[in-house]
Amino acid sequence: MTTLENRPNTALLVVDVQNDVVAEAHARDTVVANIADLVGRARREGVPVVWVQHSDEDLPEGSDAWRIVPELVPGDAEPVVGKHYGDSFEDTGLEEALARLGVGRLVVVGAETDACIRSTLHGAFARGYDALLVRDAHTTGDKTAWGAPPPDQVITHTNLYWTYQTAPGRTAGTAETKDVDFTPAS
């Protein structure tokens, strides 16, 4: 269904599941376990797993804070894309990695719901990708001190609006971990 030509494949996109990013995240252990389940399923089914890893002055590249959580280990042949902005496509090699893999559909998981997950979903959709958000495999920290709703409400709202996202020639939507189908919609 994607608007990208000759891109029949699906990839699991794991965004920013790094030590400091998810240290205090809502339902951290459950979300990481769900992501681990999806990574295992994707690998067994021959679906590419692509990792995104944020760095900035508060998350310096190479630091323990920057490392992907120990429960999740990228495979040697799996792309790991570094980024400095919320949208995982912005000024990165993500588009090139997905093109090499023939990917036109993304299954998106990770952190943080109200920042990099939202930015990446919209970035993917605007670039022509189909984008499925896994409802119980993304999370965020508590930003109520800055006027945001509690994390569970941020996650619920994001799931709600992405379920009904539409655009010509592309599909969006959400699914629970147990219901994720890596087969593209035709």
Side-chain angles (χ1 to χ4, degrees), residues 4-183:
L4 301 171
E5 290 189 32
N6 302 313
R7 299 282 201 82
N9 299 327
T10 297
L12 176 63
L13 186 65
V14 183
V15 179
D16 298 351
V17 189
Q18 298 163 254
N19 288 325
D20 271 18
V21 176
V22 299
E24 302 295 323
H26 176 75
R28 181 236 185 254
D29 293 344
T30 299
V31 168
V32 169
N34 288 342
I35 294 170
D37 176 63
L38 288 163
V39 168
R41 285 177 38 209
R43 287 173 176 161
R44 286 189 301 277
E45 294 179 29
V47 171
V49 179
V50 179
W51 303 81
V52 176
Q53 197 168 14
H54 189 85
S55 64
D56 59 29
E57 64 184 37
D58 296 323
L59 202 60
E61 188 171 334
S63 68
D64 188 55
W66 166 85
R67 294 189 203 306
I68 293 172
V69 298
E71 299 95 323
L72 301 172
V73 179
D76 291 339
E78 295 171 346
V80 179
V81 176
K83 73 174 180 67
H84 302 285
Y85 302 99
D87 179 351
S88 297
F89 289 90
E90 195 65 44
D91 197 28
T92 71
L94 180 58
E95 171 56 28
E96 292 81 11
L98 296 173
R100 278 192 307 275
L101 295 166
V103 170
R105 178 177 180 254
L106 298 173
V107 175
V108 179
V109 299
E112 285 193 303
T113 301
D114 43 355
C116 299
I117 294 297
R118 284 186 184 177
S119 294
T120 297
L121 283 167
H122 287 281
F125 212 52
R127 288 171 174 86
Y129 290 86
D130 295 335
L132 179 75
L133 175 63
V134 184
R135 299 174 64 84
D136 55 352
H138 64 97
T139 188
T140 193
D142 187 345
K143 297 176 188 70
T144 56
W146 296 278
D152 62 324
Q153 291 179 16
V154 170
I155 293 163
T156 298
H157 179 253
T158 302
N159 288 336
L160 174 67
Y161 89 78
W162 201 256
T163 297
Y164 300 103
Q165 189 71 30
T166 60
R170 286 156 280 164
T171 63
T174 60
E176 297 289 325
T177 295
K178 65 181 178 51
D179 297 324
V180 169
D181 181 356
F182 289 114
T183 308

